[in-house]
C-alpha cells in the first residue's frame, strides 16, 4: 500500500537515542556507510531474492517527523528538545545504492548501501530492514514455487493468513518472484497487479442447493468463471458446474479444487471433464500448497495454482535474515575508516563494498565477487576486470529518488529481472531440496584493515 | 497503527464477486452467521490466545467504499455498477460477538461470530482473518515466552524482522501475551505501549573507541542507561561501562549482551559487575531468543529479555490457522438453517455456537463446551447449567461498536484477562514441549441436523 502517511515512527527507539548521543559527542555528522546484507541464507536455501526496493523508496520519501510525530516524541520524552528540532527538519540527503529489485543475492552480498551522515543514515535502519526482510522472504518463497510450477501460473491468495498491510506487500513481492495475480484488491489498486477470485464455499452454502449457487455465479460472472466443486461431492459438483455454464451459454472456464488428495482428484476430474466434452475447462487447485506440493502436482493435469499461507509466510522462513550494519565512517580527521563488530559471534566484514557476479563463458554465474574498499572507483575496475556483471544501481542520489525504480513498469521490470537473474544461475540453484548457496561468495579487501585497530 | 484510511480493499476479490452473485440470485439479504475458529492449534501448541479484537473494531469502522475505492473497482471491472452502488453505501449493520481479547482458545472455539445479511458479513472475511491470524500468532508466541520468563520482563524488539505495519500490530499483540514494552515508536504512539531502547553496535563503532561511545551515551541518556558491551571484548566492555556511568555521576542501569553464549556470559558478567561493586546494574540479553532459549536462561542471572525475530514470526507458527466459515443462514422460507461443507476433508460443524469454559471445584479449566443451536438463549442456559464460564461478549451490536473493547484501557485489560485465563488452565498448558491442547473441546448440537440435507 503506497502511503502518504509519515513512516518516521516505524522506527526503533534506539535509532533516535543514538542520534541524541552522537549529537552529544559531536559525531552525528560523521559521514557513514551502512550496508544491508545476510550473514547466511535461511537454512538450505540456494539463493535470496531482492524485493521491496520500490517500497523502500516510498518509505524514505515519507520519512518525515511532522508535528504529530514530534508531539508524540516530546510527550513520551524519547529525546531532548534539541534532538526533536533536528528531527523536525529531517530529510534524507544521502545516497542509496543497491541490487536492483528482482536480482538474486547470496550470503555477504551488499544488497543495499546507505551513505550519509551517521544521523541521517542510522535512522532509516528499522524501516528499511522491515521492508526488505518481509518482501525478500516472500519473493524467495514465490520464486521457489514458480520454479516448481514449470510455467503454470501461480496466483497469490494468502491475504487472510498474514497482517492486512503485509498482505498487500506480499502480493507485490510474489509478483517479483514470478506470480501472475493476487486475490487482494488493495494490491490491485496500489501496484496494478491483476486480481483474481470468484467464490468460496460460503457462496454455495448460502444457496438452497449447489445448482442454484452455480447458476447464480454463472449469471453474475459468465460461463467462463471458475466454479468451486468440492462443497458436497466432487463428481456431482463437476457435472453440475459444466451444466450450469452451458445453461449460461458457454463452456465452463475452470473448476477449483480446494480440499482432498489433489493429485488423484486432478486426474479423475480431468477425465470427467473430458468425458463431458468440457475439454477447454481448466483445473485450478488451492489447498495448502507449497513448492513441494506444487512439484508433486507437476505430472497431474492441473492448469494453475493458488497459494496462500506458505507463500505469505515465506514457506518456513518468514524473514530474510538481513541486517543493517555500519561498515565505514569518517574518523576524527575526516578520513573514511572501515569498522566492524569484532567480538566472537555475529562479527562482520567492514568496508564499503562493490559487488559483481562473475559469469563463465556460457554466461552462467560462478561466483559472487564482493570487493571492500574506500576507493569505489577502483573496486568497480576490479569487478570489471574479473569479467563480472556489476550488481549495484543508484536508488537515491543526494536525497533524490531515482524514479525508474518505483514508477510505472518498475514491478514488471523487477519480475523480468528476477527471471533473467535466476536463469543465469547454475542448475543446482533451482533444486527445492536443502543445499548450499548456488554460487560461493568471494570477499576481497582492497584496504586490509590494521588488525590492531579492531580491539579498541 | 490505528488508521482512518479505508480498510475496504484489504479484501479478497471473491468477497465482492460473491455479493454480485448473491444479488443475482436474491440471496444477498439472507441473514447469515459466520464463525471464526481454528480446526486445530499449530502443531504441539497447548492453547491459542485471542488478540487483535480492538484492531478488528477499528477495521470494521473504517470498512467503507469511498470514491477512491469505488473508482478503482469500476476501472478494474471487478463487479457491476449495480453492485458498486450497493458497496458505496456499505456500513456493517450486524452483530459481532467473540471471545474477549486475551482469552485463550482451543480447536473449535467460536472465537468470533459475525451475524448480518450475507452480503454484509461475507465481505469482512479477509480483513478479520488477516488481523486475527497475525495478532493471535504473535500473542501465542508471546504468552509462551512470558511463561518461560517466570516473571522477568520480556521486551519486544522484532520490528526489523517483519513488515513495517505488522511490526506495530505485533508489539500490541505481544503486550496481550504479557510483554512489558516495545522498541517500535509507532506502537508507543498508537497504543500507548512503553518504548525501550538505547543503542546498537553502530553507535559504538561510530566513535573512535568504546570509552568515547559509552561517555556520549551516558551524557545523553544518564548513567541509568543500558550499555551494549559486546562490540569488542565483553570483560573490557563491562569495566568501561561501569566506569563511564560512574564518571557520569551514578551507577550503571544495565548492560546488554547481544551475542555469544548468553548463559555462560550472564554468569561471568554478573560476577564481574558484583566484583566492581555494581550490584544494582542489571543484565539484559537480546540475541536470537525464543521461549526455549528464555527457559534455558532461567537459572542464569539475567534481568530481562529482548525478543525479536521469533516473537514477531510466531515462534515457528506465523499464522494462527483461523478460518471464517458460514455456519447458519436463512432459507427460502426465512427460517435459520445450519450449513457446513460436507465433502471429505476440511469439513466443519454447522450451527450458531455458544461457548463456555467448564471449571472444576478448584476453578481449574477442564473442558471447552461448545453448543450449536438456533436458540442462543437456550444454549446460554446449557452453558450455565454445566457450571461453565461464558466466553463470548458483544463487540458490535447492530453496527455499533462496543467501545470498551478498543478504548483506553482495553489493551491493559486484555493483558490482565490473558494472565487470568492462562492461570485457570491445568498445569500441562504451561509446558513448552509439544503436546495436546490443554483441555478438550466438547461439541453439543441442540438441533441435530438432518443428515440427508448435507448432500444437496
Amino acid at each position: 500500500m503506497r502511503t502518504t502517511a509519515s513512516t518516521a515512527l516505524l522506527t526503533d527507539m534506539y535509532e533516535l537515542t543514538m542520534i541524541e548521543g552522537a549529537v552529544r559527542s559531536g559525531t552525528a555528522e560523521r559521514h557513514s556507510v551502512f550496508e544491508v546484507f545476510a550473514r547466511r541464507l535461511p537454512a538450505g536455501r540456494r539463493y535470496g531474492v531482492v524485493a521491496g526496493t520500490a517500497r523502500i523508496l516510498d518509505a524514505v520519501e515519507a520519512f518525515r517527523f511532522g508535528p504529530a510525530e514530534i508531539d508524540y516524541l516530546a510527550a513520551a520524552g524519547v529525546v531532548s528538545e534539541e534532538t526533536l528540532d533536528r528531527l523536525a527538519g529531517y530529510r534524507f540527503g544521502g545516497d542509496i545504492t543497491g541490487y536492483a529489485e528482482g536480482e538474486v543475492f547470496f550470503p555477504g552480498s551488499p544488497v543495499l548501501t546507505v551513505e550519509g551522515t551517521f544521523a541521517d543514515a542510522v535512522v532509516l535502519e528499522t524501516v528499511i530492514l522491515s521492508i526488505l526482510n518481509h518482501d525478500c522472504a516472500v519473493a524467495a518463497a514465490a520464486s521457489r514455487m514458480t520454479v516448481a510450477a514449470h510455467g503454470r501460473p501461480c496466483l497469490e491468495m494468502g491475504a487472510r493468513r498474514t497482517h492486512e498491510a503485509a498482505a498487500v506487500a506480499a502480493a507485490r513481492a510474489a509478483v517479483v518472484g514470478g506470480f501472475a495475480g493476487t486475490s487482494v484488491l488493495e494490491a490491485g489498486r496500489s501496484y496494478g497487479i491483476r486480481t483474481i477470485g470468484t467464490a468460496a464455499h460460503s457462496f454455495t452454502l448460502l444457496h438452497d442447493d449447489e445448482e442454484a449457487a452455480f447458476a447464480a455465479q454463472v449469471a453474475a460472472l459468465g460461463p467462463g468463471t471458475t466454479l468451486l466443486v468440492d462443497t458436497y461431492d466432487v463428481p456431482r459438483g463437476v457435472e453440475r458446474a459444466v451444466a450450469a455454464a452451458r445453461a449460461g451459454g458457454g463452456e465452463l472456464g475452470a473448476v477449483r479444487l480446494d480440499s482432498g488428495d489433489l493429485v488423484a482428484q486432478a486426474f479423475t476430474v480431468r477425465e470427467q471433464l473430458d468425458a463431458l466434452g468440457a475439454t477447454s475447462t481448466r483445473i485450478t487447485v488451492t489447498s495448502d500448497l507449497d513448492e513441494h506440493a506444487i512439484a508433486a502436482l507437476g505430472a497431474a493435469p492441473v492448469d494453475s495454482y493458488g497459494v496462500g499461507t506458505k507463500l505469505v509466510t515465506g514457506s518456513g522462513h518468514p524473514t530474510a535474515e538481513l541486517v543493517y550494519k555500519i561498515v565505514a565512517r569518517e574518523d576524527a580527521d575526516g578520513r573514511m575508516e572501515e569498522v566492524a563488530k569484532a567480538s566472537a559471534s555475529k562479527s562482520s566484514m567492514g568496508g564499503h563494498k562493490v559487488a559483481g557476479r562473475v559469469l563463465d563463458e556460457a554466461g552462467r554465474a560462478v561466483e559472487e565477487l564482493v570487493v571492500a574498499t574506500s576507493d569505489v572507483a577502483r573496486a568497480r575496475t576490479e569487478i570489471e576486470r574479473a569479467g563480472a556483471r556489476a550488481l549495484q544501481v543508484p536508488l537515491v542520489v543526494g536525497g533524490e529518488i531515482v524514479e525508474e525504480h518505483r514508477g510505472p513498469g518498475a514491478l514488471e521490470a523487477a519480475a523480468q529481472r528476477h527471471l533473467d537473474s535466476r536463469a543465469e544461475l547454475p542448475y543446482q540453484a533451482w533444486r527445492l531440496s536443502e543445499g548450499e548457496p548456488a554460487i560461493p561468495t568471494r570477499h576481497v579487501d582492497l584496504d586490509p584493515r590494521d588488525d590492531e585497530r579492531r580491539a579498541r
Side-chain angles (χ1 to χ4, degrees), chain A residues 243-254:
Chain A
R246 288 177 182 166
E251 203 63 282
L252 181 62

Side-chain angles (χ1 to χ4, degrees), chain A residues 135-205:
Chain A
D135 290 14
C136 295
V138 175
S143 178
R144 287 165 62 82
M145 291 167 184
T146 56
V147 162
H150 275 287
R152 290 175 179 171
C154 292
L155 304 160
E156 190 280 311
M157 301 181 172
R160 64 192 55 198
R161 303 287 180 235
T162 186
H163 180 278
E164 68 277 16
V168 181
R172 188 183 180 283
V175 171
V176 174
F179 271 55
T182 178
S183 62
V184 65
L185 292 163
E186 187 61 60
R189 173 165 70 168
S190 293
Y191 303 119
I193 304 169
R194 181 167 75 95
T195 59
I196 48 95
T198 55
H201 294 113
S202 63
F203 184 77
T204 301
L205 293 170

Side-chain angles (χ1 to χ4, degrees), chain A residues 58-341:
Chain A
D58 288 343
V60 168
E61 182 173 65
F63 203 96
R64 304 291 180 90
F65 295 87
E69 287 73 39
I70 296 294
D71 286 353
Y72 160 69
L73 294 172
V78 171
V79 286
S80 68
E81 270 193 45
E82 186 192 343
T83 300
L84 288 180
D85 286 346
R86 182 191 180 98
L87 294 176
Y90 181 83
R91 187 185 184 292
F92 180 69
D95 298 324
I96 303 179
T97 60
Y99 283 34
E101 194 161 16
E103 188 59 77
V104 303
F105 67 86
F106 301 94
S109 296
V111 167
L112 204 78
T113 305
V114 180
E115 266 191 277
T117 68
F118 176 80
D120 275 10
V122 75
V123 78
L124 297 177
E125 174 177 20
T126 311
V127 73
I128 284 179
L129 283 180
S130 290
I131 292 171
L132 281 177
N133 272 321
H134 175 268
D135 290 14
C136 295
V138 175
S143 178
R144 287 165 62 82
M145 291 167 184
T146 56
V147 162
H150 275 287
R152 290 175 179 171
C154 292
L155 304 160
E156 190 280 311
M157 301 181 172
R160 64 192 55 198
R161 303 287 180 235
T162 186
H163 180 278
E164 68 277 16
V168 181
R172 188 183 180 283
V175 171
V176 174
F179 271 55
T182 178
S183 62
V184 65
L185 292 163
E186 187 61 60
R189 173 165 70 168
S190 293
Y191 303 119
I193 304 169
R194 181 167 75 95
T195 59
I196 48 95
T198 55
H201 294 113
S202 63
F203 184 77
T204 301
L205 293 170
L206 166 69
H207 289 83
D208 296 323
D209 52 44
E210 201 174 40
E211 282 101 332
F214 287 176
Q217 187 177 326
V218 169
L221 307 176
T225 190
T226 299
L227 289 170
L228 177 58
V229 293
D230 68 346
T231 303
Y232 302 111
D233 174 75
V234 173
R236 203 156 35 174
V238 169
E239 197 181 319
R240 289 168 174 170
V242 170
R246 288 177 182 166
E251 203 63 282
L252 181 62
V255 295
R256 177 160 79 96
L257 298 169
D258 185 48
S259 56
D261 178 344
L262 297 176
V263 175
Q265 274 195 98
F267 280 103
T268 57
V269 167
R270 182 73 265 160
E271 253 177 60
Q272 189 185 356
L273 286 170
D274 291 347
L276 291 167
T279 52
S280 66
T281 301
R282 297 178 304 282
I283 298 175
T284 187
V285 295
T286 58
S287 183
D288 290 334
L289 298 180
D290 64 9
E291 60 269 45
H292 303 287
I294 291 171
L297 283 158
V302 168
D303 299 283
S304 64
Y305 302 101
V307 191
T309 307
K310 289 293 184 157
L311 174 64
V312 298
T313 59
S315 200
H317 299 290
T319 186
E321 302 192 36
L322 293 161
V323 295
Y324 186 98
K325 296 293 170 192
I326 191 167
V327 291
R329 51 104 186 115
E330 230 176 318
D331 67 13
D333 303 320
R335 281 177 312 220
M336 289 304 289
E337 187 178 31
E338 295 187 4
V339 293
K341 179 172 184 296

Side-chain angles (χ1 to χ4, degrees), chain A residues 37 39-40 323 325 340-349 454:
Chain A
F37 64 96
R39 290 199 179 87
R40 57 186 170 272
V323 295
K325 296 293 170 192
K341 179 172 184 296
S343 65
S345 69
K346 288 191 186 174
S347 67
S348 55
M349 186 178 163
R454 304 189 93 194

